[in-house]
Amino acid sequence: MTRGTGTTETGVPGAGVRLSGWGPPTGTERLLHETAAAGDRDAMLDALARSTLYVLVARLHADTPGYAPLLTAHPDPVTPGRMCVTAHTSGTLPPWHPEWVSETIDLDGLRRRWPDGVRWLVINPGTPYAVTVAAGPGRRRAWQKAHDRSPGPPTGLLVTHGAGPLHGPLAHGLALGAHLAVHNGLVWNELGATYQGYSTDRARLRNPWGVLDRAAYRKTLEALLTTRLVGRTYESVLQVRSTLAVRLGRTPTVPEWSAALTRRRPAPAEAAEAQEALRLAVTYEGRLRADGALGADERVDTLAAFDYGRAVNLARWGLSARFCVPHEAEQAIVHAGALSRSAYRSWEDFSAGYALGRVLRFDGEDYGDYYRSNVTAHRLLTESGGSPWRNIPWR
């Protein structure tokens, strides 16, 4: 899982130090390297503008409200005597460190925070995919133009880190969180320095999760691993259908399911809530079948997948936010994988449970981004030859 360690004279992990264990590059590293090798400066800047870049920041500075230090110059690892600013793409970040964190930055951010007198930018230093970019005042004006014309980093992509876990329990657990990774265009199998950037991940945990410290992180993770956040009414309504299906030896009709709910004799408000949950479940299952994310004769018996998938991503965010250490995050993710294997029969079965849980919680029958991103992720993860779901056995 780790890729090697290194600390420069300044104490910044990985800055200017050749790191070991690099696997095949992600598409980002490959594109940057190819455009730089071709000598097409505009194409390389366009590729940079569409990349998520990271700089290493002391955690003390990152935790100081309103503090945005200038970028730090380091000795160029290739050209002795030359100073440069270094940045990384996600596939080449140094290993997790408790006091150094990774923050996202774009070309415009690099330009605005650039230190005086430094004329070179090195992307992915010390790796086979290092790219050197001229950074004099005139060149930095071209950065602004590339930033302005760029749509930003792409999303809806399946991104795999060749040096990350690809097989075994940890890879299986990480693949449970692949829906969200695909939605954000981020690496699905990375458990290290960051998920989407230290400040971004801490903000994500703060709102909507209310996680501000390690204790709150552990409490929320436990709630997800015990499926206490999927929605009690939705889960109980699906359980009634599942129980009835076992007794009948087939999936009950909607009237049979509705009648079974009525026989439970709940209070009027609870009965209305349960019938509305049934209606939404039937509606969304029908749409998921039409879009190929649920088989024609299949149903969703539990929404546990939504909590298990979120637990995996919470562990990745918690590691990035320094609310846990690597072995704790790894244990949580492996545990989520074991729980999921007990609850579902296949990746497709898990995906349907995750998708239904997510849209019932967030979509509001809009069939908007929450719904569409589910279908996109399901198709990529079930059909792409490089998908973890095609290469990691469910059991």
Side-chain angles (χ1 to χ4, degrees), residues 314-363:
L314 191 90
R316 293 185 68 184
W317 303 332
L319 184 61
S320 173
R322 280 29 179 197
F323 290 150
C324 65
V325 297
H327 82 269
E328 291 174 319
E330 182 172 331
Q331 287 175 346
I333 290 169
V334 170
H335 185 44
L339 293 171
S340 294
R341 286 193 296 274
S342 297
Y344 294 95
R345 302 181 302 274
S346 66
W347 286 112
E348 291 80 4
D349 193 26
F350 170 86
S351 181
Y354 180 94
L356 184 60
R358 190 165 185 247
V359 294
L360 286 173
R361 178 67 179 272
F362 294 117
D363 185 64

Side-chain angles (χ1 to χ4, degrees), residues 265-341:
R265 299 184 184 279
E270 293 179 354
E273 186 180 9
Q275 291 295 335
E276 175 63 7
L278 181 154
R279 184 189 71 80
L280 286 172
V282 169
T283 300
Y284 275 116
E285 282 185 334
R287 183 66 177 266
L288 289 170
R289 290 189 188 97
D291 289 328
L294 183 65
D297 299 322
E298 295 176 350
R299 64 177 187 268
V300 175
D301 286 336
T302 174
L303 306 178
F306 187 42
D307 272 5
Y308 295 148
R310 290 191 292 175
V312 169
N313 288 310
L314 191 90
R316 293 185 68 184
W317 303 332
L319 184 61
S320 173
R322 280 29 179 197
F323 290 150
C324 65
V325 297
H327 82 269
E328 291 174 319
E330 182 172 331
Q331 287 175 346
I333 290 169
V334 170
H335 185 44
L339 293 171
S340 294
R341 286 193 296 274

Side-chain angles (χ1 to χ4, degrees), residues 3 13 23 36 55 57 95 111-112 126 128 132 147 156 161 165-166 178 234 238 244 263 323 328 335 341 354 373:
R3 296 193 289 258
V55 291
V57 179
R111 180 190 63 81
R112 288 185 287 104
T132 300
H147 171 79
H161 192 322
L166 296 172
Y234 289 124
L238 291 176
L244 184 58
R263 286 194 295 271
F323 290 150
E328 291 174 319
H335 185 44
R341 286 193 296 274
Y354 180 94
S373 66

Side-chain angles (χ1 to χ4, degrees), residues 18-314:
R18 182 170 296 279
L19 306 176
S20 61
W22 300 104
T26 66
T28 298
E29 287 88 47
R30 184 182 298 109
L31 178 60
L32 288 175
H33 194 265
E34 288 175 353
T35 54
D40 188 334
R41 188 184 71 180
D42 288 341
M44 183 182 65
L45 290 181
D46 286 339
L48 276 176
R50 296 217 68 192
S51 303
T52 300
L53 302 176
Y54 298 86
V55 291
L56 296 177
V57 179
R59 184 178 170 190
L60 176 65
H61 293 162
D63 286 340
T64 303
Y67 184 70
L70 287 175
L71 299 169
T72 303
H74 306 285
D76 191 316
V78 176
T79 306
R82 191 165 75 180
M83 299 298 289
C84 65
V85 168
T86 60
H88 293 265
T89 53
S90 63
T92 69
L93 283 169
W96 186 93
H97 188 284
E99 299 303 332
W100 287 93
V101 299
S102 301
E103 293 281 27
T104 55
I105 196 166
D106 55 25
L107 275 180
D108 184 54
L110 286 168
R111 180 190 63 81
R112 288 185 287 104
R113 292 171 53 188
W114 196 260
D116 292 337
V118 180
R119 304 181 66 85
W120 299 97
L121 168 67
V122 179
I123 308 294
N124 301 330
T127 77
Y129 323 118
V131 172
T132 300
V133 184
R139 296 297 178 87
R140 296 202 301 275
R141 285 193 288 272
W143 296 3
Q144 178 67 53
K145 294 178 181 179
H147 171 79
D148 290 344
R149 65 176 176 260
S150 173
T155 57
L157 299 176
L158 175 60
V159 184
T160 300
H161 192 322
L166 296 172
H167 304 284
L170 180 57
H172 186 286
L174 285 168
L176 301 178
H179 270 94
L180 191 60
V182 166
H183 175 63
N184 291 319
L186 301 174
V187 175
W188 69 267
N189 67 330
E190 179 69 15
L191 187 61
T194 195
Y195 179 81
Q196 203 168 0
Y198 177 74
S199 294
T200 301
D201 295 334
R202 286 180 72 93
R204 187 195 303 267
L205 287 168
R206 183 170 58 250
N207 183 20
W209 293 98
V211 172
L212 301 176
D213 53 30
R214 175 178 170 83
Y217 161 76
R218 290 175 63 86
K219 181 179 179 180
T220 304
L221 180 64
E222 178 64 20
L224 289 169
L225 290 173
T226 52
T227 63
R228 298 202 301 269
L229 301 183
V230 294
R232 179 181 62 84
T233 298
Y234 289 124
E235 189 72 352
S236 64
V237 166
L238 291 176
Q239 182 59 51
V240 167
R241 181 176 62 176
S242 178
T243 301
L244 184 58
V246 171
R247 189 166 76 241
L248 297 175
R250 58 173 173 78
T251 297
T253 64
V254 173
E256 289 172 334
W257 185 12
S258 178
L261 287 175
T262 301
R263 286 194 295 271
R264 300 171 70 199
R265 299 184 184 279
E270 293 179 354
E273 186 180 9
Q275 291 295 335
E276 175 63 7
L278 181 154
R279 184 189 71 80
L280 286 172
V282 169
T283 300
Y284 275 116
E285 282 185 334
R287 183 66 177 266
L288 289 170
R289 290 189 188 97
D291 289 328
L294 183 65
D297 299 322
E298 295 176 350
R299 64 177 187 268
V300 175
D301 286 336
T302 174
L303 306 178
F306 187 42
D307 272 5
Y308 295 148
R310 290 191 292 175
V312 169
N313 288 310
L314 191 90

